[in-house]
Amino acid sequence: MGVFGCRDSLASFLRERSLPKLQIVEQAIFSELLPRFDDIESRATQAQERFWELAGEVGLAESYEGDLASDAFSHGWDTFDSLSGMRQMLLNLFAVCLFHALEQKLALACNAHQHPIKDRIPAALRAIADWFKAHRGLDIRKLREYAAVEQLQLLANTVKHGAGRSSSKLLKLRPEIFGSYSECSPDKIDLREPLAGEDLCVAPADLKAFCGAASAFVEAIASGLEKAADSM
């Protein structure tokens, strides 16, 4: 029996509290943060033009011994490359944030419906799955939506830790995320800078799909709880 007095109160908790918070995470990513990098090309052009302006202000254009046009272009390209790298880094890290937000919201729901308090479970997908099976008779690993969440977990681990078991498994499932490594065998992957976006290429569409998968997973759990309650 949960702390809210009925067996399906956990389903309500998931829909009314867990889902909205995941949707806030998605909104923050796509409405507040990523749009800041929508104008990378124009900012690179501005940097190139500013280089020319500064050269003119200090009289460099007349006395400069190098190729001023080439250096101005290089300055613009460096700006574009740096901003693109930062955007890719954020996309990679957002996948980590999304997965851990999902774990945290599910663990919070479980712990809010568990007695005694000393048996609180950690915000870890394995512990959460074990809890639902033991306390609600629901094997969330068998839900259709679990496969996408498992991919998200592999991605988060790859972003955090680089090459390893998670990256090898993810490569078989989603080779396109690995860019130049997409045609490599798992034992040839060397994610030199997993957090810097050098070797992982999470696309906005990938992240959007994972956001949808996380919300669908929470809804599937809530529905599964309700079906289990109805059958009793």
Side-chain angles (χ1 to χ4, degrees), residues 42-61:
S42 63
R43 289 164 71 179
T45 300
Q46 291 171 7
Q48 181 177 344
E49 293 172 348
R50 184 56 180 161
F51 186 96
W52 276 105
E53 292 174 1
L54 289 175
E57 290 175 4
V58 300
L60 189 61

Side-chain angles (χ1 to χ4, degrees), residues 22 215 224:
L22 284 175
S215 294

Side-chain angles (χ1 to χ4, degrees), residues 2 12 19-21 44 47 73 82 91 114 141 182 208 221:
S12 297
L19 265 178
K21 290 183 178 180
F73 176 83
S82 296
L91 283 164
Q114 175 165 284
R141 294 183 179 92
S182 61
K208 190 74 172 179
I221 294 174

Side-chain angles (χ1 to χ4, degrees), residues 39-126:
D39 58 345
I40 291 178
E41 291 187 8
S42 63
R43 289 164 71 179
T45 300
Q46 291 171 7
Q48 181 177 344
E49 293 172 348
R50 184 56 180 161
F51 186 96
W52 276 105
E53 292 174 1
L54 289 175
E57 290 175 4
V58 300
L60 189 61
E62 298 177 358
S63 60
Y64 191 66
E65 296 181 356
D67 188 340
L68 191 59
S70 177
D71 287 346
F73 176 83
S74 294
H75 182 67
W77 171 255
D78 287 344
T79 300
F80 177 84
D81 190 52
S82 296
L83 291 175
S84 296
M86 290 176 63
R87 182 175 184 269
Q88 186 61 66
M89 177 184 68
L90 286 176
L91 283 164
N92 294 347
L93 289 173
F94 286 152
V96 179
C97 293
L98 174 63
F99 177 69
H100 288 309
L102 174 62
E103 285 186 313
Q104 290 165 7
K105 303 317 172 192
L106 289 176
L108 177 63
C110 294
N111 288 322
H113 290 73
Q114 175 165 284
H115 289 291
I117 298 299
K118 67 179 181 179
D119 294 330
R120 290 173 61 87
I121 64 170
L125 186 59
R126 179 180 298 178

